[in-house]
Amino acid sequence: MSGRLGLLAALVAAALVLSAGPAAAQTTHYVGEEGNSPANFGWDPPELEIAVGDTVRWCFSAAAGDSPPCEDIEAPHDVHILDSAGQPVAASDVFPVGGGADAYFEYTFDSEGTFTYICQIHPSTMIGTLTVGGGGGEDTIPPTTTILLNGAAPVSTYDGPVEVTLQAGDNAGGSGVETTEYALDGGDFQEYLGPFTVSEEGEHTIRYRSTDAAGNVEEPKEVTFTIDVGGGGEEPAALAVTVKPKNKRAKAGRKVAFRVRLANTGDQAATDPKVCVKAPRKRVKPANGRCWTLSELAGGEQRSARFALKVKKPAAGKRVKVRFVATAEGIKRQVRTVTLRVAKRKR
Ligand SMILES: [Cu+2]
């Protein structure tokens, strides 16, 4: 007869375990009896924090499982599980003293919440509190996220697209990483779903953080890097000069003018650029200054100036070469030559 009862209990227990589904493979926690008289019977432990999917076994015999707290009970007990609204969730039969290996009751908790476990024979002392968390007991430590750029520790400059990988891990014994997020170039945080690529040239900032299942949020970390493809944007300054017109008829005693345009065809700024006019002193005299001087000419910038020249009398009937010489600090000079064809003097 006791054999039949034992078989029945085993079947009930097996059915309970099976009903728990795939999560039943997770941790099993044990609760036993404490005390030795109706005045001080209690649960051991009286409080329990478990993860979703964990199983709790209330045992009423040393043969019922892990010991301690499974011990032979001093009096008959049962267990009723109530939810936070006091509604019954599950209940066992009454286990007699010396119940044997099958003298336990198990339940698997598949959702978060707070529950009460109570022996209805000793309800004032055998009352316990069970907290089912999102995956962890008392994890209060946030996870740690590591960033990899092109599969390695970040450096300051890249010459092409950058693949961003975020790796997150929770502390040992923690509840586990739930989400990892990143914010690109001052944008909102978005969930990281896998490596992504940043390819736009210029400076980029990525902020990143992870959150564990217990809700601990990592203080965001930040990395800044620059993408500079092929060194573009760093071409040295270079001068280009044009002078118009290239040939000009002139008369001795009169002025002529040339339009000079100076351009910086590089990317870096040209420092102290200037254009100076050079011509035979006896024949031509600069009328508004020999040199046109700038403090700087930015990359890609161009400016123009007007040079006025007074043609002297000895130039009459001559062809006069006038040179415009452009220079800047550390840059190859550029020269343009124009010709003045000065009319003969009339008698
Ligand atoms: Cu009891």
Side-chain angles (χ1 to χ4, degrees), residues 33 41-43 60 75-78 118-123 125-126:
E33 180 212 62
F41 284 133
W43 293 117
F60 304 97
H77 300 298
D78 62 11
I118 186 166
C119 169
Q120 291 198 338
I121 302 167
H122 308 97
T125 54
M126 292 187 83

Side-chain angles (χ1 to χ4, degrees), residues 293-328:
T293 304
L294 299 165
S295 61
E296 191 181 273
L297 192 62
E301 189 182 7
Q302 63 176 40
R303 302 252 209 113
S304 60
R306 180 177 170 275
F307 277 80
L309 304 174
K310 172 93 181 272
V311 182
K312 293 183 173 178
K313 286 180 180 172
K318 311 279 188 189
R319 287 177 172 231
V320 181
K321 297 279 187 189
V322 178
R323 297 190 305 149
F324 292 86
V325 181
T327 57

